[in-house]
Amino acid sequence: MCSEKKKNRDTIAELLHGLRNKAFITGSEAVAEAVKRANVDMAIAYPITPQSESMHLVGELFAKGHIKDYYRAENEFAVMAAVHGAALGGGRVFTATSGPGTLRAMEMFPVWAGARQPIVCAFMCRGVSLPPSIQPENIEMGMLLDTGMLMLHAENGQDFFDMILQAYLVAEQPDVHLPVGVFADGFFVTHTREEMLLPPEDCCLPPYDPGFAPVPVFDMETPPMRITRDPLLNKSNFISGNANASWHQEVLAAAERARKHIAHFMGGLLEVENPGAKIFIAASGTAVSQSREALRMMQAEGMDVGLIKIKSIRPFPGSELSKALEAADLVVVPEFNAGGWLAREIRATIDRNHRVIGAPRVFGGMTMPPWLIVEEVKKALGAGQSRGGC
């Protein structure tokens, strides 16, 4: 249980940079361990595979006194609406969902952002289409890109643990104050047991202070109707339209201001391995792990290949990518979805975007063997040579 803050104790520095102990746990257990140290006021759950276990474990934290309040709501939309209400009341909140649950709750995500609430939600990504699939796939991330949420993508269980805590630190900055989605590829991360490093259990985030929020907390002196209805809906369409447009711009600006906080708490929006390479693999989430092995295989053959791990999807590291890929001849983007949303983001960001190859893409629960990535790189290089250059 989080202890009272001791004098002169910098718990944030301890959480991020202090001594840690080894633990052999799953990604779902890592979620619970992060929530245990996040000083959460309220968590609300609704089960859906592969998220169910994580919120079950969060419920056990409530039973042990680590969380002030917890309950199971009627459905995913009810969860996200209730979490929103708890955040409006000044609480630090947490929830999680997956795939079809994400889509059922979709209306609430831009509401969170528009209300400037620092809600943290874990998304354990899975298939959403017919025929039904509960298997790993992150197509839902492509559907959430323009909701106003900040979006972080975890490679493994260690990332999942760290990013949940880092998400609160970024979200609650007064010049940000936006919701953060922390995404992990279901089963690959949630149900895989691996060695992780965890800070002591009594090392927790300081309590959330809504007094620093850029929007007022709803209470008896600041009733919801005064903020959410009167200024917009009861006025002319002109006033309503201008108010909505200017506020939307502020939400986007707040996401841009989050960049410096992500850099501070997470060490940057991306990581680059072998920055001088002419060939790069650019990936996020579990595809990074597969890419690491593909990188090792190609380097063993004498190929000069680099890797870019994209940690932040929103805000997107556009300038960082452009700089890292300035001298690159080829960028291969492997993804666990059919749509190729990450490749599209990269193509829209860098110049000479013919260099971007959006492949391989696997989905519906398929695995991504490293040789599949190697094959795409060699195929692209062969095509480039036949054209007289890549």
mmCIF file of all heavy atoms in Angstrom, residues 15-16 20 30 34 152 156-169 182 197-199 265-266:
data_model
loop_
_atom_site.group_PDB
_atom_site.id
_atom_site.type_symbol
_atom_site.label_atom_id
_atom_site.label_comp_id
_atom_site.label_asym_id
_atom_site.label_seq_id
_atom_site.Cartn_x
_atom_site.Cartn_y
_atom_site.Cartn_z
ATOM 1 N N LEU A 15 10.625 6.146 -8.756
ATOM 2 C CA LEU A 15 9.855 5.296 -9.661
ATOM 3 C C LEU A 15 10.538 5.142 -11.006
ATOM 4 O O LEU A 15 10.573 4.047 -11.586
ATOM 5 C CB LEU A 15 8.454 5.882 -9.870
ATOM 6 C CG LEU A 15 7.401 5.584 -8.811
ATOM 7 C CD1 LEU A 15 6.153 6.404 -9.083
ATOM 8 C CD2 LEU A 15 7.053 4.099 -8.807
ATOM 9 N N LEU A 16 11.074 6.228 -11.523
ATOM 10 C CA LEU A 16 11.644 6.208 -12.860
ATOM 11 C C LEU A 16 13.092 5.748 -12.903
ATOM 12 O O LEU A 16 13.501 5.076 -13.858
ATOM 13 C CB LEU A 16 11.538 7.607 -13.497
ATOM 14 C CG LEU A 16 10.128 8.179 -13.660
ATOM 15 C CD1 LEU A 16 10.185 9.546 -14.310
ATOM 16 C CD2 LEU A 16 9.254 7.241 -14.476
ATOM 17 N N ARG A 20 15.441 -1.230 -8.532
ATOM 18 C CA ARG A 20 14.294 -2.080 -8.842
ATOM 19 C C ARG A 20 14.615 -3.538 -8.539
ATOM 20 O O ARG A 20 15.786 -3.933 -8.530
ATOM 21 C CB ARG A 20 13.877 -1.930 -10.310
ATOM 22 C CG ARG A 20 13.322 -0.542 -10.636
ATOM 23 C CD ARG A 20 12.696 -0.499 -12.006
ATOM 24 N NE ARG A 20 11.929 0.721 -12.245
ATOM 25 C CZ ARG A 20 11.062 0.883 -13.225
ATOM 26 N NH1 ARG A 20 10.830 -0.108 -14.081
ATOM 27 N NH2 ARG A 20 10.414 2.016 -13.380
ATOM 28 N N ALA A 30 1.652 -6.967 -14.790
ATOM 29 C CA ALA A 30 2.394 -5.707 -14.818
ATOM 30 C C ALA A 30 1.449 -4.515 -14.737
ATOM 31 O O ALA A 30 1.772 -3.494 -14.113
ATOM 32 C CB ALA A 30 3.240 -5.626 -16.090
ATOM 33 N N ALA A 34 1.569 -1.672 -11.829
ATOM 34 C CA ALA A 34 1.642 -0.232 -12.110
ATOM 35 C C ALA A 34 0.529 0.516 -11.381
ATOM 36 O O ALA A 34 0.763 1.568 -10.765
ATOM 37 C CB ALA A 34 1.557 0.016 -13.611
ATOM 38 N N LEU A 152 0.402 5.867 -26.368
ATOM 39 C CA LEU A 152 1.714 5.250 -26.186
ATOM 40 C C LEU A 152 1.595 3.771 -26.527
ATOM 41 O O LEU A 152 0.588 3.144 -26.209
ATOM 42 C CB LEU A 152 2.198 5.420 -24.745
ATOM 43 C CG LEU A 152 2.135 6.845 -24.171
ATOM 44 C CD1 LEU A 152 2.565 6.831 -22.702
ATOM 45 C CD2 LEU A 152 3.005 7.802 -24.982
ATOM 46 N N ASN A 156 6.644 -4.466 -24.755
ATOM 47 C CA ASN A 156 6.641 -5.658 -23.905
ATOM 48 C C ASN A 156 6.051 -5.308 -22.537
ATOM 49 O O ASN A 156 5.579 -4.187 -22.311
ATOM 50 C CB ASN A 156 8.067 -6.201 -23.768
ATOM 51 C CG ASN A 156 9.060 -5.094 -23.403
ATOM 52 O OD1 ASN A 156 8.734 -4.173 -22.652
ATOM 53 N ND2 ASN A 156 10.270 -5.173 -23.932
ATOM 54 N N GLY A 157 6.089 -6.272 -21.622
ATOM 55 C CA GLY A 157 5.516 -6.056 -20.305
ATOM 56 C C GLY A 157 6.207 -4.953 -19.519
ATOM 57 O O GLY A 157 5.558 -4.216 -18.772
ATOM 58 N N GLN A 158 7.527 -4.844 -19.663
ATOM 59 C CA GLN A 158 8.254 -3.783 -18.965
ATOM 60 C C GLN A 158 7.785 -2.418 -19.430
ATOM 61 O O GLN A 158 7.546 -1.513 -18.617
ATOM 62 C CB GLN A 158 9.758 -3.928 -19.203
ATOM 63 C CG GLN A 158 10.602 -2.932 -18.399
ATOM 64 C CD GLN A 158 10.580 -3.216 -16.917
ATOM 65 O OE1 GLN A 158 11.058 -4.245 -16.471
ATOM 66 N NE2 GLN A 158 10.036 -2.285 -16.143
ATOM 67 N N ASP A 159 7.657 -2.256 -20.741
ATOM 68 C CA ASP A 159 7.116 -1.003 -21.276
ATOM 69 C C ASP A 159 5.713 -0.742 -20.738
ATOM 70 O O ASP A 159 5.377 0.398 -20.378
ATOM 71 C CB ASP A 159 7.035 -1.071 -22.801
ATOM 72 C CG ASP A 159 8.309 -0.648 -23.496
ATOM 73 O OD1 ASP A 159 9.275 -0.273 -22.808
ATOM 74 O OD2 ASP A 159 8.339 -0.688 -24.742
ATOM 75 N N PHE A 160 4.892 -1.786 -20.707
ATOM 76 C CA PHE A 160 3.506 -1.634 -20.270
ATOM 77 C C PHE A 160 3.464 -1.087 -18.843
ATOM 78 O O PHE A 160 2.721 -0.154 -18.533
ATOM 79 C CB PHE A 160 2.804 -2.985 -20.351
ATOM 80 C CG PHE A 160 1.338 -2.917 -20.684
ATOM 81 C CD1 PHE A 160 0.746 -1.757 -21.158
ATOM 82 C CD2 PHE A 160 0.533 -4.045 -20.538
ATOM 83 C CE1 PHE A 160 -0.603 -1.705 -21.466
ATOM 84 C CE2 PHE A 160 -0.815 -4.009 -20.847
ATOM 85 C CZ PHE A 160 -1.388 -2.838 -21.314
ATOM 86 N N PHE A 161 4.267 -1.664 -17.968
ATOM 87 C CA PHE A 161 4.355 -1.190 -16.583
ATOM 88 C C PHE A 161 4.819 0.264 -16.538
ATOM 89 O O PHE A 161 4.183 1.125 -15.912
ATOM 90 C CB PHE A 161 5.313 -2.072 -15.784
ATOM 91 C CG PHE A 161 5.614 -1.558 -14.406
ATOM 92 C CD1 PHE A 161 4.770 -1.843 -13.345
ATOM 93 C CD2 PHE A 161 6.735 -0.773 -14.170
ATOM 94 C CE1 PHE A 161 5.041 -1.350 -12.069
ATOM 95 C CE2 PHE A 161 7.014 -0.277 -12.908
ATOM 96 C CZ PHE A 161 6.160 -0.573 -11.850
ATOM 97 N N ASP A 162 5.935 0.539 -17.185
ATOM 98 C CA ASP A 162 6.518 1.882 -17.120
ATOM 99 C C ASP A 162 5.602 2.931 -17.737
ATOM 100 O O ASP A 162 5.427 4.023 -17.189
ATOM 101 C CB ASP A 162 7.869 1.899 -17.836
ATOM 102 C CG ASP A 162 8.942 1.122 -17.095
ATOM 103 O OD1 ASP A 162 8.853 1.019 -15.850
ATOM 104 O OD2 ASP A 162 9.867 0.608 -17.750
ATOM 105 N N MET A 163 5.011 2.600 -18.885
ATOM 106 C CA MET A 163 4.219 3.595 -19.602
ATOM 107 C C MET A 163 2.943 3.980 -18.861
ATOM 108 O O MET A 163 2.475 5.118 -18.989
ATOM 109 C CB MET A 163 3.892 3.093 -21.006
ATOM 110 C CG MET A 163 5.060 3.143 -21.965
ATOM 111 S SD MET A 163 4.594 2.549 -23.624
ATOM 112 C CE MET A 163 6.112 2.903 -24.529
ATOM 113 N N ILE A 164 2.366 3.060 -18.098
ATOM 114 C CA ILE A 164 1.167 3.415 -17.326
ATOM 115 C C ILE A 164 1.511 4.485 -16.290
ATOM 116 O O ILE A 164 0.794 5.485 -16.133
ATOM 117 C CB ILE A 164 0.552 2.170 -16.669
ATOM 118 C CG1 ILE A 164 -0.098 1.285 -17.738
ATOM 119 C CG2 ILE A 164 -0.488 2.557 -15.607
ATOM 120 C CD1 ILE A 164 -0.558 -0.068 -17.237
ATOM 121 N N LEU A 165 2.614 4.307 -15.596
ATOM 122 C CA LEU A 165 3.037 5.313 -14.616
ATOM 123 C C LEU A 165 3.455 6.612 -15.314
ATOM 124 O O LEU A 165 3.107 7.718 -14.866
ATOM 125 C CB LEU A 165 4.189 4.762 -13.783
ATOM 126 C CG LEU A 165 3.807 3.616 -12.839
ATOM 127 C CD1 LEU A 165 5.046 2.964 -12.250
ATOM 128 C CD2 LEU A 165 2.889 4.101 -11.731
ATOM 129 N N GLN A 166 4.198 6.494 -16.402
ATOM 130 C CA GLN A 166 4.612 7.678 -17.149
ATOM 131 C C GLN A 166 3.408 8.412 -17.729
ATOM 132 O O GLN A 166 3.414 9.643 -17.830
ATOM 133 C CB GLN A 166 5.583 7.267 -18.263
ATOM 134 C CG GLN A 166 6.912 6.768 -17.740
ATOM 135 C CD GLN A 166 7.677 5.916 -18.750
ATOM 136 O OE1 GLN A 166 7.116 5.463 -19.756
ATOM 137 N NE2 GLN A 166 8.953 5.670 -18.489
ATOM 138 N N ALA A 167 2.358 7.658 -18.082
ATOM 139 C CA ALA A 167 1.156 8.274 -18.643
ATOM 140 C C ALA A 167 0.525 9.241 -17.652
ATOM 141 O O ALA A 167 0.095 10.344 -18.033
ATOM 142 C CB ALA A 167 0.156 7.191 -19.036
ATOM 143 N N TYR A 168 0.445 8.855 -16.372
ATOM 144 C CA TYR A 168 -0.112 9.766 -15.368
ATOM 145 C C TYR A 168 0.756 11.023 -15.231
ATOM 146 O O TYR A 168 0.233 12.138 -15.101
ATOM 147 C CB TYR A 168 -0.218 9.072 -14.015
ATOM 148 C CG TYR A 168 -1.382 8.119 -13.909
ATOM 149 C CD1 TYR A 168 -1.189 6.740 -13.867
ATOM 150 C CD2 TYR A 168 -2.692 8.598 -13.853
ATOM 151 C CE1 TYR A 168 -2.263 5.861 -13.773
ATOM 152 C CE2 TYR A 168 -3.770 7.731 -13.759
ATOM 153 C CZ TYR A 168 -3.557 6.367 -13.724
ATOM 154 O OH TYR A 168 -4.621 5.501 -13.648
ATOM 155 N N LEU A 169 2.059 10.840 -15.267
ATOM 156 C CA LEU A 169 2.963 11.982 -15.113
ATOM 157 C C LEU A 169 2.805 12.980 -16.256
ATOM 158 O O LEU A 169 2.863 14.188 -16.047
ATOM 159 C CB LEU A 169 4.412 11.491 -15.038
ATOM 160 C CG LEU A 169 4.765 10.693 -13.777
ATOM 161 C CD1 LEU A 169 6.141 10.051 -13.917
ATOM 162 C CD2 LEU A 169 4.724 11.595 -12.543
ATOM 163 N N VAL A 182 -2.622 3.740 -23.152
ATOM 164 C CA VAL A 182 -1.397 2.947 -23.176
ATOM 165 C C VAL A 182 -1.754 1.617 -23.834
ATOM 166 O O VAL A 182 -2.548 0.849 -23.297
ATOM 167 C CB VAL A 182 -0.829 2.732 -21.765
ATOM 168 C CG1 VAL A 182 0.484 1.951 -21.839
ATOM 169 C CG2 VAL A 182 -0.604 4.074 -21.068
ATOM 170 N N LEU A 197 11.555 -5.454 -14.144
ATOM 171 C CA LEU A 197 12.152 -4.757 -13.004
ATOM 172 C C LEU A 197 11.123 -3.803 -12.422
ATOM 173 O O LEU A 197 10.619 -2.907 -13.118
ATOM 174 C CB LEU A 197 13.403 -4.002 -13.446
ATOM 175 C CG LEU A 197 14.555 -4.869 -13.964
ATOM 176 C CD1 LEU A 197 15.681 -4.003 -14.512
ATOM 177 C CD2 LEU A 197 15.084 -5.784 -12.864
ATOM 178 N N LEU A 198 10.816 -3.983 -11.134
ATOM 179 C CA LEU A 198 9.777 -3.190 -10.480
ATOM 180 C C LEU A 198 10.350 -2.432 -9.286
ATOM 181 O O LEU A 198 11.159 -2.975 -8.531
ATOM 182 C CB LEU A 198 8.641 -4.090 -9.986
ATOM 183 C CG LEU A 198 8.002 -5.040 -11.000
ATOM 184 C CD1 LEU A 198 6.903 -5.847 -10.316
ATOM 185 C CD2 LEU A 198 7.439 -4.280 -12.192
ATOM 186 N N PRO A 199 9.919 -1.185 -9.087
ATOM 187 C CA PRO A 199 10.334 -0.438 -7.894
ATOM 188 C C PRO A 199 9.637 -0.997 -6.655
ATOM 189 O O PRO A 199 8.666 -1.754 -6.765
ATOM 190 C CB PRO A 199 9.877 0.995 -8.186
ATOM 191 C CG PRO A 199 8.766 0.839 -9.158
ATOM 192 C CD PRO A 199 9.056 -0.383 -9.969
ATOM 193 N N PHE A 265 9.993 12.374 -19.223
ATOM 194 C CA PHE A 265 9.656 11.198 -18.414
ATOM 195 C C PHE A 265 9.942 9.870 -19.120
ATOM 196 O O PHE A 265 10.130 8.850 -18.458
ATOM 197 C CB PHE A 265 8.183 11.246 -17.998
ATOM 198 C CG PHE A 265 7.857 12.344 -17.035
ATOM 199 C CD1 PHE A 265 6.978 13.351 -17.383
ATOM 200 C CD2 PHE A 265 8.432 12.378 -15.765
ATOM 201 C CE1 PHE A 265 6.661 14.377 -16.490
ATOM 202 C CE2 PHE A 265 8.136 13.395 -14.869
ATOM 203 C CZ PHE A 265 7.251 14.387 -15.230
ATOM 204 N N MET A 266 9.969 9.874 -20.467
ATOM 205 C CA MET A 266 10.136 8.632 -21.207
ATOM 206 C C MET A 266 11.425 8.585 -22.021
ATOM 207 O O MET A 266 11.685 7.595 -22.707
ATOM 208 C CB MET A 266 8.937 8.413 -22.138
ATOM 209 C CG MET A 266 7.613 8.230 -21.420
ATOM 210 S SD MET A 266 6.209 8.031 -22.548
ATOM 211 C CE MET A 266 6.724 6.636 -23.532
#
